């Protein structure tokens, strides 16, 4: 089975072709991604209108390139998968409209994928992980712990009650004058800094419910920075290192609570999976690796290019759904908001509205 996957929910335009073999294993035949960071950098964040226009300009070229790289024509594709949300509505419409047009002219099934589901199923493409497993999704728009029990079976067991983790990295970077996106900048500065110089809070540490809170930590960084203003060159690495150390302590503690809840409610998870852009952070990966050994749970961290937004994850989610006969009609809506676990109570301010997931 071969599926084309299209991704346009935020600031990456992507098209990919993924194959599932008879034994269930997957192979990426093409994975074309174009980042729009250069278009948005001057604004310090993603501008929705600019994003939508940029998707329109390159999507058809990326689809053609993906087909050429995979050396197949549309006639040999079994389905057209697309992220139909959640995300910036203009961008989602660009991808969804293109996918519908292709489905219509080729007569192939349309699979309208939830972008978060695509992140959630990626470890099955990369590592063949069996259900159930615990997913830590940490990106610019989301910070969640999700029990993945099957295709379409997602139980949110923890969430941020205010900012997303990537958002907190980006805001800390901005207040220290570092460029957007801030995560990699903060990580690089932190490597040169003293993590013990500033005493910062670890919100919700020790709580049984595996939720997250970032806004108090972000405010504490601002207050400490203001208290020593004007900042000297050596202060920024120390602030970044102290912030990152607090994030790592908090994240490990919250994941520990998540594993405990998973075991109580569902049983032993087959893996702890970390995905989303923040999963590229090496200090976080190292800490989760240490924790997974201690907890006796295998850690799966897909390669960074499959952790951040891409078309291969959408194509794979399309394959998983298509194999179960889950296809969508051409009336399928674009959705700015689309929770993975429809039963979960919406958390106040959990990530930015319509933000990247
Ligand atoms: O998954 P992604 O590419 O887009 C979203 O779906 O949000 O994640 C982007 C987020 C940004 O907030 C970025 O600052 C953060 O991931 N990020 C990092 C690192 N690399 C990217 N945060 C911390 N450390 C990093 N190395
Ligand atoms: Zn995403």
């Amino acid at each position: 089975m071969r599926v084309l996957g299209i991704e346009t929910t935020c600031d990456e335009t992507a098209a990919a072709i993924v194959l599932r073999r008879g034994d269930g294993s997957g192979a990426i035949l093409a994975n074309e991604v174009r980042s729009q960071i250069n278009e948005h950098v001057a604004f310090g964040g993603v501008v929705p209108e600019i994003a939508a226009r940029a998707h329109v300009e390159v999507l058809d070229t990326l689809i053609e390139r993906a087909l050429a790289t995979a050396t197949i024509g549309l006639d040999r594709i079994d389905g057209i998968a697309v992220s139909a949300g959640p995300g910036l509505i203009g961008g989602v419409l660009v991808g969804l409209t293109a996918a519908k047009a292709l489905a219509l002219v080729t007569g192939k099934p349309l699979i309208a994928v939830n972008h978060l589901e695509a992140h959630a199923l990626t470890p099955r493409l990369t590592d063949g992980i069996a259900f159930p497993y615990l997913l830590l999704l940490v990106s610019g728009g989301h910070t969640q712990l999700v029990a993945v029990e099957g295709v379409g079976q997602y139980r949110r067991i923890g969430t941020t009650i205010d900012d997303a983790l990537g958002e907190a990295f980006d805001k800390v970077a901005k207040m220290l004058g570092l460029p957007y996106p801030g995560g990699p900048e903060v990580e690089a500065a932190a490597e040169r800094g003293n993590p013990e110089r500033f005493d910062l809070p670890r919100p919700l540490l020790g709580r049984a419910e595996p939720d997250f809170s970032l806004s108090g930590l972000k405010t504490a960084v601002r207050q400490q920075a203001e208290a020593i203003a004007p900042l000297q060159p050596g202060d920024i690495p120390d602030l970044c290192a102290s912030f990152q150390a607090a994030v790592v302590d908090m994240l490990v503690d919250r994941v520990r609570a998540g594993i405990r809840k998973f075991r109580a409610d569902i049983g032993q998870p087959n893996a702890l999976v970390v995905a989303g852009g923040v999963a590229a952070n090496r200090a976080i990966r190292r800490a989760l690796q240490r924790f997974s050994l201690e907890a006796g749970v295998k850690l799966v961290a897909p390669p960074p290019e499959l952790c951040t937004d891409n078309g291969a994850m959408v194509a794979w989610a399309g394959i998983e759904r298509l194999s179960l006969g889950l296809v969508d009609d051409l009336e399928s809506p674009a959705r700015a908001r689309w929770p993975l676990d429809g039963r979960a109570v919406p958390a106040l301010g959990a990530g930015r509205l319509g933000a990247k997931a």
Side-chain angles (χ1 to χ4, degrees):
M1 185 180 280
R2 290 181 198 81
V3 166
L4 166 67
I6 295 173
E7 165 59 42
T8 57
T9 61
C10 192
D11 62 347
E12 267 95 21
T13 317
I17 316 256
V18 174
L19 162 82
R20 181 149 94 175
R21 305 188 188 89
D23 65 2
S25 65
I28 298 174
L29 304 184
N31 194 17
E32 300 288 334
V33 184
R34 184 187 172 276
S35 164
Q36 303 175 353
I37 284 184
N38 291 337
E39 278 100 318
H40 301 293
V41 72
F43 304 95
V46 178
V47 183
E49 178 64 13
I50 293 176
R53 278 166 191 266
H55 289 306
V56 171
E57 279 163 19
V58 300
L59 181 57
D60 51 354
T61 311
L62 290 190
I63 294 172
E64 277 173 6
R65 220 188 279 161
L67 289 165
T69 306
T71 60
I72 52 169
L74 275 175
D75 55 318
R76 295 190 43 219
I77 296 286
D78 299 295
I80 319 281
V82 59
S83 282
L88 299 170
I89 199 70
V92 176
L93 278 166
V94 173
L96 186 59
T97 307
K100 286 178 178 177
L102 287 174
L104 189 63
V105 296
T106 59
K108 311 282 180 184
L110 173 77
I111 308 113
V113 169
N114 181 318
H115 175 89
L116 303 174
E117 172 172 49
H119 277 303
L121 296 176
T122 301
R124 291 171 52 77
L125 165 64
T126 56
D127 295 76
I129 300 296
F131 300 120
Y133 51 86
L134 180 63
L135 169 73
L136 170 66
L137 179 61
V138 275
S139 71
H142 288 269
T143 296
Q144 298 184 359
L145 279 164
V146 179
V148 182
E149 297 178 82
V151 175
Q153 290 176 265
Y154 312 102
R155 202 186 307 190
R156 193 189 76 197
I157 65 174
T159 179
T160 179
I161 54 172
D162 39 59
D163 294 349
L165 184 53
E167 186 183 3
F169 269 95
D170 294 339
K171 285 181 177 170
V172 164
K174 201 168 190 173
M175 72 177 79
L176 300 178
L178 300 172
Y180 173 86
E185 301 283 337
V186 170
E187 179 181 4
E191 270 161 25
R192 294 177 277 116
N194 172 9
E196 283 163 17
R197 175 160 161 211
F198 297 96
D199 188 18
L200 295 169
R202 271 81 172 145
L204 304 185
L205 205 80
R207 299 276 182 92
E209 277 307 306
D211 289 327
F212 304 81
S213 171
L214 273 310
S215 97
L217 172 58
K218 174 194 68 190
T219 304
V221 174
R222 171 171 293 132
Q223 287 165 342
Q224 299 256 15
E226 281 169 2
I228 56 162
L231 296 181
Q232 303 303 310
D235 295 334
I236 290 176
D238 291 347
L239 280 162
C240 289
S242 302
F243 166 73
Q244 191 170 273
V247 164
V248 162
D249 286 353
M250 184 223 31
L251 215 50
V252 168
D253 179 76
R254 306 292 64 217
V255 171
R256 183 179 290 118
I259 296 265
R260 215 174 278 142
K261 188 165 174 184
F262 193 112
R263 284 185 173 135
D265 294 354
I266 298 163
Q268 176 67 5
N270 284 321
L272 165 65
V273 175
V274 55
V278 184
N281 184 290
R282 279 158 298 188
I284 291 175
R285 281 182 178 241
R286 275 196 301 273
L288 290 175
Q289 188 62 55
R290 274 196 304 275
F291 164 75
S292 76
L293 290 175
E294 162 207 320
V297 180
K298 176 179 171 175
L299 178 73
V300 176
E305 68 275 16
L306 295 179
C307 278
T308 53
D309 291 350
N310 65 87
M313 68 177 190
V314 180
W316 176 258
I319 287 179
E320 295 248 40
R321 296 187 72 83
L322 184 58
S323 318
L324 298 173
L326 300 170
V327 299
D328 297 275
D329 62 40
L330 296 181
E331 305 300 314
S332 284
R335 307 187 199 195
R337 284 211 163 240
W338 187 359
L340 202 46
D341 178 353
R343 296 158 305 181
V345 184
L348 247 192
R352 293 163 295 183
L353 178 66
K356 186 169 189 179

